[in-house]
Amino acid sequence: MTDNDDPGPGRPGTDYRTLNRASWDDRAASPDYAVDRFAADPAYPSDVVRFDLPRLGDVAGLRGVHLQCHIGTDTVSLHRLGARMTGLDFSGASLAQARALAERTGAAVDFVQADVYDAPDVLGVGGFDLVYTGVGALCWLPDIRRWAGVVAALLRPGGRLFLREGHPMLWALDETRPDGLLVVDHPYFERTEPVVWDEGGTYVSTEATFTHNTTHEWNHGLGEVVTALLDAGLKLTMLCEHDSAPWDALPGRQVRDGHGEWRLTERPWRLPQTYTLQARRR
């Protein structure tokens, strides 16, 4: 059995990658991904990339890789800012959408299908100026230290990681409570066993009926993420917590602003919903 076939943590005899990949293959298309907007406006960036433009800085001329790129909207957005981008994801259906988006918009982006833990073997070691990871990626990975090692391996000396991710405090909340209370019900810290979900929906609008609804997810505490990167040889250069997220994480309790971000309607300063982190390889 190869490392890529190892079932890893989860239910006995199950492969978390197989379950999660089947779910993402099902959910590869939605009108909420704004593909038509990308095609109509050559300067349009995704809402996620637009939010972090003040922190992202100049990426023109950088060789970048977007890990867990899904359908490539953030990848194409970084290309439009001047970076030479490669997108990597394990979902073939998602990458088919990404390649169609790149072709439709004339974006010279390479998309590669592989598990994120295999990225250095597939893409090579030390060849990237920028590793980018967007919102909702790390929760699919069981081992944050192994992920940090992947980031360090991909970066050239002096290269940087740019990460915007859902805050582990948000992931730990019970989002279904009808009383409006913010209650911690799920793990904050990384655990060997996954949180197993069986849900038929997705975070974007769709009329599709899904058949693959079981997923395995893991939370990673903010300190665990930072420590893993430090131990992998990176130097932390930025850590910003935000009271908003680019999706409605707590339905019925939030309001959307003019930039597409959602935050608590009442006293939004109570909850960090996302964070932006940057680090450089020493």
Side-chain angles (χ1 to χ4, degrees), residues 112-270:
V112 178
Q113 184 175 356
D115 185 89
V116 66
Y117 288 141
D118 296 330
D121 295 331
V122 174
L123 300 177
V125 173
F128 292 93
D129 306 297
L130 174 69
V131 171
Y132 179 91
T133 297
V135 177
L138 298 187
C139 62
W140 305 101
L141 303 179
D143 186 343
I144 199 63
R145 298 185 68 85
R146 188 176 175 192
W147 168 83
V150 167
V151 171
L154 291 171
L155 287 171
R156 64 164 179 79
R160 64 171 165 142
L161 164 70
F162 190 98
L163 168 70
R164 187 185 179 206
E165 182 53 280
H167 200 287
M169 192 68 249
L170 176 64
W171 298 136
L173 295 181
D174 178 357
E175 74 277 15
T176 65
R177 289 186 66 94
D179 54 17
L181 295 177
L182 301 179
V183 175
V184 176
D185 189 51
H186 306 300
Y188 176 90
F189 298 106
E190 181 182 303
R191 294 175 58 83
T192 301
E193 292 298 313
V195 177
V196 180
W197 298 97
D198 191 355
E199 297 181 331
T202 183
Y203 67 98
V204 293
S205 172
T206 182
E207 297 180 357
T209 299
F210 301 120
T211 57
H212 299 93
N213 299 320
T214 300
T215 58
H216 288 183
E217 300 180 32
W218 292 262
N219 205 0
H220 311 285
L222 195 56
E224 292 174 330
V225 176
V226 170
T227 300
L229 291 169
L230 294 176
D231 289 348
L234 277 72
K235 178 182 179 181
L236 189 70
T237 59
M238 175 186 290
L239 180 58
C240 300
E241 296 174 289
H242 313 293
D243 67 358
S244 66
W247 83 102
D248 187 5
L250 299 166
R253 287 176 271 180
Q254 302 214 108
V255 62
R256 191 178 191 183
D257 66 21
H259 303 287
E261 291 280 311
W262 295 82
R263 53 179 49 82
L264 289 172
T265 306
E266 297 182 8
R267 296 174 290 152
W269 51 86
R270 290 180 290 163

Side-chain angles (χ1 to χ4, degrees), residues 2-65:
T2 67
D3 178 67
N4 196 45
D5 295 326
D6 183 1
R11 292 174 176 170
T14 60
D15 182 343
Y16 75 91
R17 280 165 292 210
T18 299
L19 289 173
N20 292 347
R21 185 186 301 114
S23 174
W24 281 110
D25 284 348
D26 259 8
R27 293 156 172 79
S30 167
D32 275 7
Y33 291 135
V35 170
D36 290 339
R37 181 82 180 270
F38 274 93
D41 183 356
Y44 177 75
S46 67
D47 289 341
V48 171
V49 171
R50 183 188 299 108
F51 178 89
D52 266 317
L53 282 176
R55 289 163 285 275
L56 183 62
D58 185 11
V59 298
L62 299 184
R63 185 182 181 211
V65 57

Side-chain angles (χ1 to χ4, degrees), residues 49 56 59-69 72-88 102 107-112 123 127-134 160 162:
V49 171
L56 183 62
V59 298
L62 299 184
R63 185 182 181 211
V65 57
H66 180 185
L67 299 180
Q68 298 167 271
C69 68
T73 52
D74 294 345
T75 326
V76 169
S77 298
L78 293 168
H79 164 78
R80 288 181 165 182
L81 295 174
R84 296 177 289 122
M85 293 301 300
T86 297
L88 181 139
V109 176
D110 295 322
F111 289 102
V112 178
L123 300 177
F128 292 93
D129 306 297
L130 174 69
V131 171
Y132 179 91
T133 297
R160 64 171 165 142
F162 190 98

